[in-house]
Amino acid sequence: MQLPNEEIDISIECHRCGEPQKRGYNFCNKCGAQNINAFRRELKKDSNYSRNLTNLARYTFVILALIVVSIFTGDDLYSLIFWTTCFAIVDVIFGILQPEVWSLFSIKNIKIKPLLFVSLFGILSGFLVSYSIEKLNLFLELETYNSIDIFKDLEYSLISAIVLTAVFPAIFEEMAFRGFIFNNLTRLAGKKSAIWGSSFLFGLVHFSLLSLYWIVPFGLFLAYFRNRYNTIIYGIVLHFIHNSTVVLIDHYELF
Amino acid sequence: MEQNFTQCSKCKASITAEDVFCSNCGYPENADQEEKDKYEYRIKLKMNVLKDAKKKLKNVKILLWVLAGLHLVVGLAFLSQEITFYDGIGPIIAAVIFIACVFWVNKQPLVGIMAAFIFWVLLQLSVVLVDPALLLSGIILKIVFIGIFVKGISSAKDYKEFSQKLRTLNATT
Ligand SMILES: [Zn+2]
């Protein structure tokens, strides 16, 4: 008795007993040995998983350590410059180790419509966040925090404020959360987990339980754009315009 | 030519009387009892790994409920003493986040536990702003918590992998 010919591929045989097997078999029907290729695939999946988990843990540990130390060492101008530089250096070093992150900077497929959309969204969210924080601080009787206070004594205070609180954070935070963390989380647990996980972590590193109400949704939006268009350029633009709006509002004391 | 197709008694894939082993799940359908015992033993090993992983995940969830409860009590106590509204609202937000993490762990163990772990670590570190010595208070308990989180993270993969494997073998616990 023979199986119909089309179901057997003679080129596939069990590596242990040599019995011809059906394409895509898992176990040899004569000796029970597992398909060697399926076994190799499992091994490869295992090693990829550990590598991705190690990459994620290593990067997350380094930036969390950096952020925690920076928060506990004063918030004067020179600390800000120092830690911003450190953050940028860390991102560049990890960019050398995991070079696939650079492809997210590609401007090849940037379209004008989403670019306009994220710009408008950034202005809107900047206003909304500034306004709601002001009201919330008033309600909770907290000190109001002004984003440009530490730049006041500088000659070009507005330009410095925008470079240090809008340009650098936009580039390097996007690279961190929508780049390294998003990439590694995607490979470990899928897109959905990457979107939620990177946004939650993005919220946490801003070190304010109260601010989570806007940072996490903001992060979700950035992660959605990163996922949809496979680039962090829109995120950088949105992040930059949002932060600049907040700085400008503080500069001209609009609220 | 007559073909005697039957079903594998484990995974229901169609096999013939000539097949000693099911080519889909490896069950020794037409082999002797010794092979069948060996197969059952391998399944049992897989089930034990899964059971162990489930236990570790459950420990994380219990820990998260405990942390949520503690923060809720502290928050409500602050609120009732009318110190300031702000002192009470922080712990309550933390409690809500810990509860949310329990559901996250159910949906996606690995990412849920990592999120909860990082959140907890940052909460611990934030006391440094008040008094660095607080970081060492209850240090043994904190080490136990770290152990539960780390074991949870390493079990998340086993849980996913072995529940998937056993499901395809139609032998879920
Ligand atoms: Zn079977």
Side-chain angles (χ1 to χ4, degrees), chain A residues 13-19 25 28 30-34, chain B residues 21 35:
Chain A
E13 349 182 288
C14 168
H15 72 283
R16 194 158 76 186
C17 68
E19 184 77 15
Y25 79 107
C28 169
K30 283 287 170 295
C31 75
Q34 193 182 5
Chain B
F21 295 84
E35 279 293 344

Side-chain angles (χ1 to χ4, degrees), chain B:
Chain B
M1 271 202 266
E2 182 75 13
Q3 271 281 245
N4 290 322
F5 279 108
T6 49
Q7 272 189 335
C8 163
S9 52
K10 286 285 168 187
C11 73
K12 310 289 178 235
S14 87
I15 53 175
T16 68
E18 309 248 299
D19 293 331
V20 185
F21 295 84
C22 166
S23 63
N24 181 48
C25 73
Y27 182 68
E29 187 71 50
N30 298 316
D32 54 12
Q33 192 56 40
E34 198 193 325
E35 279 293 344
K36 284 185 177 157
D37 287 347
K38 268 199 245 166
Y39 178 88
E40 293 299 339
Y41 178 70
R42 286 198 299 269
I43 292 283
K44 216 168 168 180
L45 282 182
K46 288 193 177 89
M47 277 182 175
N48 282 340
V49 176
L50 182 63
K51 223 156 87 187
D52 185 61
K54 274 183 179 166
K55 210 173 95 193
K56 302 273 162 61
L57 295 187
K58 205 177 159 198
N59 288 344
V60 172
K61 283 186 263 182
I62 292 169
L63 174 62
L64 292 179
W65 281 115
V66 170
L67 290 169
L70 285 174
H71 282 85
L72 199 64
V73 169
V74 171
L76 291 176
F78 277 152
L79 279 186
S80 65
Q81 282 169 5
E82 290 175 30
I83 305 172
T84 62
F85 185 67
Y86 182 67
D87 285 321
I89 205 81
I92 290 175
I93 295 173
V96 171
I97 292 174
F98 280 124
I99 294 171
C101 284
V102 175
F103 293 100
W104 203 348
V105 173
N106 281 334
K107 268 202 105 108
Q108 175 53 259
L110 176 74
V111 185
I113 298 173
M114 285 199 294
F117 184 37
I118 292 170
F119 177 57
W120 178 79
V121 168
L122 293 180
L123 268 188
Q124 301 311 305
L125 291 173
S126 65
V127 302
V128 173
L129 287 175
V130 186
D131 176 11
L134 280 175
L135 204 58
L136 291 175
S137 75
I139 187 76
I140 294 174
L141 209 58
K142 283 175 187 170
I143 290 171
V144 172
F145 289 179
I146 291 173
I148 294 176
F149 277 123
V150 171
K151 277 186 187 144
I153 289 173
S154 56
S155 297
K157 177 176 181 274
D158 286 343
Y159 175 75
K160 192 177 154 196
E161 189 184 322
F162 283 87
S163 54
Q164 213 166 39
K165 264 185 190 161
L166 287 167
R167 210 178 307 125
T168 55
L169 300 180
N170 206 22
T172 33
T173 41

